[in-house]
Amino acid sequence: MTGPPLTMNRVIHAAVRRDLERLSTALGRMQDGDRDRARALERAFANLRTELTHHHEGEDTHIWPMLARVGVDGALLEAMEGEHHAMADALAVTSLDMATVARSGSAADAAAARASIERTRLVVERHLQHEENELEPRLTPHLGTPEWEAVEKKLSRQPPRVAGRFFAWLTDGISDEHRAFLRTAVPAPVVVVLARTFGRRYYRDVAPVWRA
């Protein structure tokens, strides 16, 4: 039995899940007193928070209003927006916990930060599943319509540094299946040029965190 069709949304969700798993694992393995490692993990979390926040701001600003205009249940859209706020709150708390372990490098603070990551992970996963199971089926009939194409155009208007960071992050550890899908959505040379030219800071500051 095949699963639901891939979408760009699901590819992004997979990257979010990947990083939360990476962070939890890395914090669990961190040695007591390793402040360099703790600071590196704080940078990686900050990058994830930036990408997830940007993704949800795009949905709140462009996708939900379009769906409201075509008659999608307003209560569902309100629930989506409320879940975005809950995730923002959870991410803010975890950011403080990551800053604490970055300052101390202690095993105790690493354990606390890992617990915080896991709490945030639950909040995020609850939303991702809700969106994939309830919202995406209501969006799918509108893909390819003029209304959706207008939304896609707005979402694609990103400064090169934002797009470059996004593609560098998205493709760092991406599965073969998701990479193949990405090529159908964005020409591979565009992804490579943006990531390698404008995503260099990600490759310098974040990608090495996962190779350590």
Side-chain angles (χ1 to χ4, degrees):
M1 180 181 294
T2 60
L6 266 180
T7 62
M8 193 66 180
N9 195 47
R10 287 176 183 261
V11 172
I12 294 169
H13 287 184
V16 171
R17 290 172 168 128
R18 174 201 69 204
D19 274 16
L20 288 169
E21 173 66 24
R22 284 170 163 175
L23 283 160
S24 181
T25 299
L27 285 164
R29 294 175 177 170
M30 203 187 89
Q31 297 297 308
D32 188 34
D34 192 348
R35 282 191 291 177
D36 287 343
R37 181 63 172 158
R39 285 192 290 265
L41 293 173
E42 183 189 25
R43 285 198 308 274
F45 172 78
N47 184 81
L48 170 61
R49 184 185 182 189
T50 295
E51 293 297 344
L52 186 53
T53 300
H54 184 72
H55 175 61
H56 289 150
E57 286 174 347
E59 290 178 332
D60 290 337
T61 303
H62 302 298
I63 299 179
W64 301 167
M66 184 277 285
L67 290 175
R69 288 193 296 272
V70 298
V72 170
D73 181 18
L76 176 59
L77 298 177
E78 287 180 9
M80 292 290 116
E81 189 170 352
E83 289 168 12
H84 284 182
H85 289 307
M87 280 188 291
D89 291 343
L91 288 165
V93 172
T94 298
S95 181
L96 295 176
D97 292 327
M98 293 299 297
T100 297
V101 70
R103 286 192 299 270
S104 73
S106 76
D109 286 337
R114 187 185 189 194
S116 185
I117 286 284
E118 289 299 328
R119 289 191 295 271
T120 292
R121 195 175 178 181
L122 288 174
V123 175
V124 170
E125 185 60 31
R126 189 178 303 121
H127 168 69
L128 299 187
Q129 288 193 24
H130 191 192
E131 186 174 292
E132 291 167 357
N133 295 334
E134 300 295 332
L135 193 284
E136 277 198 6
R138 290 164 172 78
L139 171 61
T140 299
H142 302 284
L143 299 180
T145 64
E147 292 83 4
W148 177 248
E149 289 177 355
V151 167
E152 284 192 311
K153 186 175 292 186
K154 291 174 183 175
L155 291 173
S156 67
R157 289 174 184 159
Q158 302 295 332
R161 63 177 181 79
V162 173
R165 183 193 65 215
F166 167 73
F167 284 120
W169 166 74
L170 186 70
T171 57
D172 182 18
I174 193 171
S175 70
D176 290 342
E177 179 188 14
H178 287 187
R179 189 182 298 278
F181 173 83
L182 181 60
R183 291 193 185 106
T184 70
V186 185
V190 173
V191 172
V192 171
V193 169
L194 283 171
R196 291 296 174 184
T197 304
F198 298 101
R200 285 177 291 184
R201 187 170 181 178
Y202 175 88
Y203 291 120
R204 184 191 69 206
D205 295 341
V206 180
V209 175
W210 310 128
R211 314 292 180 254

